[in-house]
Amino acid sequence: MAKKQTAGRDQLGAFAPKFAALNDDVLFGEVWSREAELAPHQRSLITISALIAGGNIEQLPAHLKIGKQNGITQEEIAEVITHLAFYVGWPKAWSAFNLAKEIYND
């Protein structure tokens, strides 16, 4: 079962309370908890790939940590990023590798 998420409220609750609630309760509370439909490991791979493809690097460290907790190995993340490099761009992959290296070397 997905861990209760509070990052939205912790980081944006005072500034954007509705967005924070949607982040914590709907995205992480309802969507991520649908483990029978899609396992957390696969959900993390998809999310990480989407963030890299979109160049959304600010959110990537948190999702790399979640992915690692969901069982994504260093070998898997390296293969995913290498594969993505050819579809979404070398600079995006390079940026993602720098972040993944930090997360997986902890």
Side-chain angles (χ1 to χ4, degrees):
M1 174 71 51
K3 176 179 128 174
K4 174 73 174 146
Q5 181 64 258
T6 62
R9 286 181 177 88
D10 294 346
Q11 296 177 26
L12 294 174
F15 187 78
K18 184 60 178 178
F19 181 85
L22 290 169
N23 181 81
D24 296 350
D25 302 337
V26 177
L27 175 58
F28 285 97
E30 294 179 27
V31 176
W32 274 83
S33 67
R34 296 171 46 85
E35 294 179 12
E37 293 78 12
L38 190 63
H41 182 272
Q42 283 77 24
R43 212 171 279 279
S44 283
L45 284 172
I46 292 164
T47 302
I48 290 166
S49 296
L51 291 172
I52 294 169
N56 300 306
I57 301 302
E58 184 177 344
Q59 290 78 30
L60 192 55
H63 281 281
L64 285 168
K65 289 175 187 170
I66 292 168
K68 187 177 178 183
Q69 292 167 359
N70 286 336
I72 298 174
T73 66
Q74 179 179 330
E75 292 76 17
E76 282 179 299
I77 200 63
E79 187 64 26
V80 166
I81 296 170
T82 299
H83 187 78
L84 285 171
F86 291 92
Y87 289 92
V88 304
W90 210 259
K92 288 178 182 176
W94 194 276
S95 296
F97 269 125
N98 284 329
L99 294 171
K101 190 171 131 183
E102 289 177 22
I103 302 302
Y104 281 84
N105 284 335
D106 279 351

